[in-house]
Amino acid sequence: MGADVQNDNFDDKPLNPHRYDALDQGLISLLREDGRASVSELAKKLKVSRGTVQNRIEKLVSTGAILGFTIRAHEGLSQDQVRAVMMIEVTGRSTSQVIRHLRGIPELIKLHTTNGKWDLIAEITTDSLVEFDRILRIVREIEGIIASETSILLSTI
C-alpha cells in the first residue's frame, strides 16, 4: 500500500538530491511569507548580495526545491467554493495507477499518501455542490479504489 508522491502539487519534477544550506532554507522561508518580495529586499534580510539571492533562487527552481510562486488569497474571496478532504483506500498494488488517475482531476488540488486505514488523502475544491458531487462520483469510479470517506470543510480557524 502507498506510493511516493513527489510533492503536493502533482508536479512530475523530482527533487534533486542537492544539499540545501541555511541560506537556501532562509530564502525559502522568506518566499513562503511573501512570494513577491524583491531580490533587493530578500538580500537585505538575508545579509547577502542581490546576485547571491538571484543565483540561489535560480538554483532552488532548477533543482526542484521551489516549484513555483503563488499567492494566498483571503478566505472571504472563495467563500462560495466547496472544499473537502477525501480519505481513499486502495486495493492491493494499484496505488500508482490510482494516483495517475487522480492527478488528472484538476479539482483535486493536493494528494497525500498516508498510513493506517486510508492510503491517500485528497484535498478537493469545487465551485458548487453539483460540481462537488460530480467529482465524488468520478473518484469513486476509479478502478482500484475500494473505499472512501469525504468531509466537507466548513470553516478555517
Side-chain angles (χ1 to χ4, degrees):
M1 281 193 204
D4 291 333
V5 175
Q6 293 298 329
N7 54 53
D8 62 8
N9 77 344
F10 309 143
D11 191 353
D12 286 331
K13 185 177 187 178
L15 183 63
N16 187 318
H18 177 80
R19 290 208 177 265
Y20 301 101
D21 63 16
L23 180 58
D24 294 326
Q25 293 169 352
L27 181 55
I28 290 170
S29 177
L30 289 172
L31 288 170
R32 278 187 174 137
E33 290 175 25
D34 181 5
R36 294 187 63 192
S38 70
V39 171
S40 297
E41 183 181 336
L42 295 167
K44 185 176 180 180
K45 287 182 179 179
L46 294 168
K47 298 180 176 137
V48 297
S49 72
R50 290 180 45 200
T52 298
V53 170
Q54 188 63 50
N55 289 337
R56 291 296 180 108
I57 290 173
E58 289 171 11
K59 179 189 77 170
L60 291 168
V61 170
S62 70
T63 60
I66 293 178
L67 300 172
F69 299 85
T70 187
I71 64 163
R72 289 184 346 235
H74 189 278
E75 288 286 323
L77 291 176
S78 59
Q79 68 189 92
D80 293 335
Q81 288 185 326
V82 178
R83 298 177 313 125
V85 291
M86 175 185 254
M87 286 71 71
I88 301 167
E89 184 178 358
V90 177
T91 184
R93 298 181 185 268
S94 62
T95 303
S96 295
Q97 172 191 335
V98 168
I99 288 172
R100 275 193 299 278
H101 281 76
L102 292 172
R103 291 174 71 175
I105 303 171
E107 293 82 2
L108 271 62
I109 59 170
K110 290 187 180 181
L111 184 63
H112 310 274
T113 57
T114 186
N115 65 335
K117 178 180 179 183
W118 305 107
D119 301 302
L120 302 168
I121 298 177
E123 294 183 39
I124 303 168
T125 300
T126 64
D127 291 328
S128 67
L129 284 173
V130 171
E131 185 68 8
F132 178 71
D133 183 50
R134 183 183 72 79
I135 297 304
L136 290 184
R137 279 186 274 116
I138 289 170
V139 170
R140 290 177 178 152
E141 291 174 359
I142 294 173
E143 187 175 335
I145 293 180
I146 56 175
S148 68
E149 182 178 315
T150 306
S151 295
I152 292 177
L153 302 174
L154 301 175
S155 63
T156 300
I157 302 170

